[in-house]
Amino acid sequence: MPEKPYDHHQIELKWFERWRGADLYRAEENSAKPKFYVLEMLPYPSGTLHIGHIRNYSIGDALARYKWMRGFNVLHPMGWDAFGLPAENAAIANKRPPREWTLENIAAMKKTHRRFAFSYDWDREVSTCEPEYYRWNQWFFLKMLERGLAYRKKALVNWCPKCATVLANEQVVEGCCWRHEDTPVEQRALEQWFLKITAYADQLLEDMKQLEGGWPERVLTMQRNWIGRSEGAEIDFQLQEPGAGGQGPGTPIRVFTTRVDTIYGATCVILAPEHPLVAKLLDDAGQARAKAMVDARAGRDPGDIEKDGFFSGHYAVNPYSGERVPIWIANFVLMGYGTGAIMAVPAHDERDFEFCRKYGITVRPVIRPVDGKLAQEPGMQEAFTDYGIVENSGPWSGLPSEEARRKMAAYAKEHGFGEAAITYRIKDWGISRQRYWGTPIPVIHCPKCGVVPVPEEQLPVVLPDRIEITGTGRSPLENVPEFVNVTCPKCGGAAKRETDTMDTFIDSSWYFYRYTDPHNGKMPFDPAKVAYWFEIDQYIGGVEHAILHLIYSRFFTKMMRDIGLVRNSEPAQRLFTQGMVIAEGAKMSKSKGNVVGADMLAEKFGADTARMFILFAGPPEKEIDWRTEGAEGIYRFLGRVYRFVTRNVGQVSSATGASDRKVLRKLHQALRKITEDFETRWHFNTCIASIMELINVLYAEEGNIGAAAMEEVVEKLALMLAPFAPYLSQEIWEELGKEGSVFRQCWPTYDPELAKEDLAEIVVQVNGKLRSRIYLPFGTPTQELEAGALADEKARTFLEGKHVVKVITVPDKLVNVVVR
RNA sequence: GCGGAGGUGGCGGAAUUGGCAGACGCACUAGCUUGAGGUGCUAGCGGGAGCAAUCUCGUGGGGGUUCAAGUCCCCCUCUCCGCACCA
């Protein structure tokens, strides 16, 4: 057969057309050990965009193909997008989300959502922006409402002026919106819907033990910090004198502390400027001062703010010692954590120390280091924050900190002025959004009945078609009377529909469950089907979701378990976080304008090259810097493969077969490497390198390869290339005269014997330095290795006149002669 | 400040269990092919010395363990990521 040029465009279009609608990957529930792979996509409208997507596709798709060829069940939600269509896909990928929320742009956006931005699968038809998906989001919402897991309250919330919507705490990055990294988030008090993720805080933390080993340590640490459990006690200090606003003596001021054992060292009580007592105790001037403090803090890096405070004029009583201490207001006490009030123990807390020194408040040490002396005031340079022995603390003196903490908390409970308490940093998930898109929250506000859930049979509540984008910060849905004006399902009177929509992270919290049963009209999914597939064996996604999607979906799983839908407590046993795509040292984002098109690459060199280039750029857990210079090398390589195959297949060969052994050895070595890498490390860059080495050998030995060896090499080459370059592999498969899909074939097995070298290369070292190599059969006994090395001519020049002290041998590998 | 991951040629990276540092690719150089450009093919390519064989230095810096260290231990340094007045 004459050599053919590698026309990637023609090959890829041809197979794309033939594959369209075919069923390459349908999961079959026929295996004893089902395997379930989900590839995570970045949700719209993340900054990393489509290059990140292609990376996802490339990594996950290569894995899925391999697993499939190994006979595993694979549920592959990316569907056809995963093939990286040469032109069409590139065109879709290029339609990035519009900046202006005009109707036209939204219509365009919805198109791209379906195929690309949201997890959508041609085969399984799970698209999170369809009414059918809204239905089940709303169904879950109603279930949570029933159980008190969804509630509405007025709260200070994060507000992004650019998005003109509320954001969850998880979506605030360094005080700015996760979508607009240069826009500080404002705090606004609004009526909002929340999901009670805090009810699961303990379980989310506890169940992480199951994930250890399967999830990256980094992600687990981030989640642990985010949940921020801390054990301590809540203690009531009593307000002493009658205060303004009729607060009488004895009014409790509850503080949270992790160190009750230090309470005899408490020299003042400090309230957050937003604390409710501030309004009651302070006069107008004082309240204004507190307000100014709150404003000064907004949008600033906490580390840059100097500690600042003032005396309230009031006093509180320490319930343990009976001591009267001043009440202060200070900017470093946060209303959002604990009780919004603290007892300051300057001797044993760095922040309190700094604050009290600034304002001349007493510093009184009450904890002595286990093997040291109690610090003396004056003269303390810094707070002693470790555990130690309690001193000067009445009946508690002499106890170790740990014991004192326990006993003192129990004492507080006994006497009714406090109790042991656990505080979490994580807050409930605010899900209200004032955007056009997203699932409408299915409730109705009735002037008579209050908040009334939409009856289940009326679901889904869908978005109206014609809307006007207001950008005013109120939901555009408010201006659509036919959407807003409804009758109350309870009393039949006039009522208003809720206009907030749900955070789109709701969608991604359970989409992968729907993949197991995408057409179910009665439930989100059949629990039996989910029980068959779940837990997910391997989930793949970006690190950037460590505390967004990955915590929400864990919460959803637990919630679904509690309403009897699933049996598993965790969604995925193993998590692989692939590295981000970086451009010029910065994370790609449209606001930075540094998004480079993968479409250019796909158009110029084809989808196979684009995918393989991304896989070759580095190991998948690492970030990759997006530079396309190396792409030509991959394209060249694929061309070499194709030309080699076309000019050698179907040829009447007169070759001697002198190189058969060499070629087959390289083949089986490459196969071994790829098989092992797919099973363990997923370092596809080295897999591809090994195929390149094989091709280099094939070129060098071309003409000396016998017909049988050639046949084996070329066939296996097509199979081992299939996870990386699907179109080319299929084309080669056809060139070989084989029937059907290359992906329906079994993954080729390697022969360890053929992969072995004939002779072991023994490195000969003298004093640890490489001096020579000798070649001996595998399994040569130690003495013979030694003898061989000492007899070697090159080695001997380094041994001459020296005294051999010691010889170290590693079988089949190395001899090190130590001389003096 | 706390927690995590890192630092290997001009570049991306390889070295999986302490055993040949730099696989594979890019860029670069030379040769062949060609009317020319491109493509393709062949070869070279860490620094220093040498015509060469070869020698020598070399994995951020310093020390240690070992016959042997990119890999293990200690100290330092720099970079990236996450968290951060969380009581």
Side-chain angles (χ1 to χ4, degrees), chain A residues 114-125:
Chain A
R114 298 182 57 125
R115 280 282 307 288
F116 210 83
F118 274 133
S119 307
Y120 176 76
D121 171 27
W122 281 13
D123 220 20
R124 296 190 164 259
E125 288 163 21

Side-chain angles (χ1 to χ4, degrees), chain A residues 646-678:
Chain A
T646 51
R647 71 176 174 254
N648 283 290
V649 162
Q651 211 76 305
V652 181
S653 170
S654 57
T656 56
S659 300
D660 285 6
R661 197 182 182 78
K662 199 170 178 183
V663 164
L664 288 178
R665 186 188 303 133
K666 200 74 193 169
L667 173 72
H668 285 266
Q669 282 172 348
L671 209 41
R672 179 177 61 192
K673 166 121 194 89
I674 296 168
T675 305
E676 283 169 0
D677 263 0
F678 261 115

Side-chain angles (χ1 to χ4, degrees), chain A residues 407-561:
Chain A
K407 290 192 170 163
M408 290 172 82
Y411 179 84
K413 171 118 181 154
E414 216 172 283
H415 290 79
F417 63 78
E419 61 195 318
I422 294 163
T423 301
Y424 296 94
R425 207 184 72 104
I426 191 170
K427 291 192 220 155
D428 281 337
W429 177 10
I431 57 156
S432 284
R433 296 292 179 275
Q434 296 75 39
R435 301 189 201 266
Y436 163 62
W437 72 93
T439 309
I441 292 174
V443 299
I444 287 163
H445 299 280
C446 171
K448 278 188 213 147
C449 316
V451 172
V452 182
V454 173
E456 211 176 302
E457 60 276 10
Q458 285 178 28
L459 299 184
V461 177
V462 295
L463 293 170
D465 278 335
R466 300 179 150 274
I467 55 107
E468 206 176 307
I469 306 303
T470 56
T472 58
R474 302 186 65 89
S475 170
L477 298 177
E478 284 181 11
N479 302 329
V480 186
E482 56 276 29
F483 180 79
V484 175
N485 297 322
V486 286
T487 54
C488 170
K490 235 186 208 169
C491 69
K496 300 245 181 226
R497 194 185 287 289
E498 171 68 58
T499 54
D500 281 354
T501 56
M502 296 183 201
D503 185 358
T504 49
F505 274 102
I506 300 268
D507 303 334
S508 56
S509 293
W510 67 281
Y511 75 98
F512 39 85
Y513 287 94
R514 181 77 179 173
Y515 282 131
T516 63
D517 193 12
H519 303 295
N520 198 322
K522 295 206 175 77
M523 300 184 79
F525 47 79
D526 178 355
K529 288 188 179 169
V530 163
Y532 170 82
W533 284 105
F534 272 73
E535 300 176 347
I536 297 168
D537 294 288
Q538 182 70 59
Y539 197 86
I540 304 173
V543 224
E544 61 274 25
H545 288 302
I547 47 165
L548 287 161
H549 168 59
L550 292 173
I551 217 162
Y552 294 145
S553 57
R554 291 184 62 217
F555 159 65
F556 245 72
T557 296
K558 290 171 200 305
M559 179 273 292
M560 291 191 294
R561 179 201 58 200

Side-chain angles (χ1 to χ4, degrees), chain A residues 601-797:
Chain A
L601 196 63
E603 215 167 288
K604 198 166 169 194
F605 298 115
D608 278 345
T609 299
R611 151 161 316 156
M612 208 154 159
F613 170 61
I614 284 167
L615 291 174
F616 189 63
E621 67 274 15
K622 233 189 122 166
E623 288 176 347
I624 58 171
D625 202 351
W626 182 256
R627 32 179 63 248
T628 53
E629 287 93 51
E632 281 173 48
I634 299 290
Y635 185 73
R636 227 174 345 241
F637 164 72
L638 292 177
R640 271 161 76 85
V641 172
Y642 187 69
R643 289 192 307 275
F644 180 85
V645 170
T646 51
R647 71 176 174 254
N648 283 290
V649 162
Q651 211 76 305
V652 181
S653 170
S654 57
T656 56
S659 300
D660 285 6
R661 197 182 182 78
K662 199 170 178 183
V663 164
L664 288 178
R665 186 188 303 133
K666 200 74 193 169
L667 173 72
H668 285 266
Q669 282 172 348
L671 209 41
R672 179 177 61 192
K673 166 121 194 89
I674 296 168
T675 305
E676 283 169 0
D677 263 0
F678 261 115
E679 291 301 319
T680 55
R681 312 190 301 168
W682 306 359
H683 281 195
F684 305 129
N685 52 335
T686 57
C687 293
I688 293 167
S690 72
I691 303 178
M692 287 173 169
E693 284 182 56
L694 172 63
I695 292 299
N696 290 345
V697 169
L698 291 178
Y699 265 71
E701 306 301 330
E702 195 174 1
N704 297 316
I705 307 171
M710 182 64 83
E711 201 186 322
E712 184 185 345
V713 166
V714 172
E715 182 186 328
K716 290 190 171 162
L717 179 65
L719 294 171
M720 66 206 259
L721 209 52
F724 308 110
Y727 289 106
L728 177 65
S729 303
Q730 181 66 62
E731 178 71 10
I732 291 174
W733 195 247
E734 196 192 51
E735 294 278 356
L736 299 180
K738 309 266 187 188
E739 297 286 313
S741 164
V742 69
F743 310 113
R744 290 285 190 180
Q745 307 307 311
C746 287
W747 181 253
T749 51
Y750 64 88
D751 182 341
E753 286 305 311
L754 282 175
K756 245 189 193 169
E757 299 287 342
D758 294 335
L759 293 173
E761 187 187 57
I762 312 293
V763 171
V764 180
Q765 296 179 339
V766 177
N767 285 345
K769 287 190 176 164
L770 171 72
R771 294 305 180 190
S772 179
R773 301 148 205 271
I774 55 177
Y775 297 87
L776 294 170
F778 281 93
T780 303
T782 314
Q783 295 88 342
E784 285 175 42
L785 284 183
E786 237 183 271
L790 292 171
D792 181 72
E793 252 183 64
K794 274 194 208 158
R796 275 169 64 178
T797 60

